[in-house]
């Protein structure tokens, strides 16, 4: 069985997220998604609309996702790959080169982002709607 892993906050889930999850799952038989905990988001000075538990529940309901684990810090990726017997690490291409250190442990693939959508764009659009 070929196992794939990806990471993210996955807040305000949109078709770009679903597209990434679908393409990641197509690379193997089992997809693990590591999502940033609320505490880790605070360390990154990032605020999610949905709590970790709610984001986890949403991701667990998506048919492409087989397992959801917490991302507690930047350094855990090597151990996650080892502990979960991962064959392929997947991230959006906006992170290109940032995780090449994992090539010693698994294949690393950067997938193109879905054009025209992002959580940042949704937040900006909502702000504009609510504030004229």
């Amino acid at each position: 069985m070929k196992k794939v892993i990806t990471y993210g906050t996955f807040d305000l889930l949109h078709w770009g997220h679903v597209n990434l999850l679908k393409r990641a799952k197509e690379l193997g038989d089992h997809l693990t998604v590591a999502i940033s905990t609320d505490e880790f988001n605070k360390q990154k000075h990032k605020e999610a609309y949905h709590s970790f538990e709610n984001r986890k529940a949403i991701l667990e309901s998506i048919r492409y996702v087989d397992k959801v684990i917490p991302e507690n810090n930047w350094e855990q990726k090597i151990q996650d790959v080892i502990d979960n017997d991962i064959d392929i690490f997947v991230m959006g291409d906006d992170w290109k080169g940032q995780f090449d250190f994992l090539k010693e442990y698994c294949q690393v693939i950067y997938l193109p982002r879905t054009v025209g959508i992002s959580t940042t764009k949704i937040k900006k659009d909502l702000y504009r709607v609510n504030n004229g």
Side-chain angles (χ1 to χ4, degrees):
M1 177 179 355
K2 192 175 279 193
K3 292 186 175 183
V4 181
I5 194 168
T6 192
Y7 287 75
T9 301
F10 294 96
D11 192 31
L12 302 181
L13 196 74
H14 52 72
W15 77 85
H17 290 133
V18 174
N19 193 21
L20 173 74
L21 296 170
K22 180 179 188 265
R23 290 182 295 158
K25 177 65 178 235
E26 288 171 349
L27 294 170
D29 305 299
H30 183 277
L31 176 61
T32 297
V33 179
I35 58 171
S36 300
T37 62
D38 297 332
E39 295 76 22
F40 185 41
N41 276 336
K42 285 179 190 169
Q43 291 175 23
K44 296 187 291 182
H45 306 289
K46 190 174 189 178
E47 187 176 350
Y49 180 81
H50 294 289
S51 70
F52 169 81
E53 288 302 325
N54 288 343
R55 290 181 284 122
K56 183 175 186 281
I58 291 167
L59 281 170
E60 288 173 337
S61 73
I62 296 174
R63 68 179 173 183
Y64 309 115
V65 177
D66 297 296
K67 182 178 180 182
V68 178
I69 62 172
E71 180 186 23
N72 297 301
N73 57 66
W74 290 113
E75 295 78 26
Q76 76 183 61
K77 289 178 179 62
I78 291 172
Q79 199 60 52
D80 286 347
V81 167
I82 293 167
D83 291 348
N84 292 282
D85 197 26
I86 298 300
D87 300 292
I88 303 172
F89 174 93
V90 175
M91 288 295 284
D93 64 1
D94 53 326
W95 289 95
K96 193 165 184 107
Q98 296 295 310
F99 301 106
D100 287 354
F101 65 91
L102 290 170
K103 289 181 179 180
E104 183 178 333
Y105 304 93
C106 63
Q107 185 179 0
V108 176
I109 297 175
Y110 300 98
L111 294 174
R113 291 180 61 93
T114 303
V115 176
I117 188 66
S118 70
T119 301
T120 301
K121 179 184 181 335
I122 291 171
K123 287 180 178 180
K124 285 180 184 176
D125 289 349
L126 288 172
Y127 180 82
R128 212 175 4 252
V129 166
N130 290 326
N131 296 293

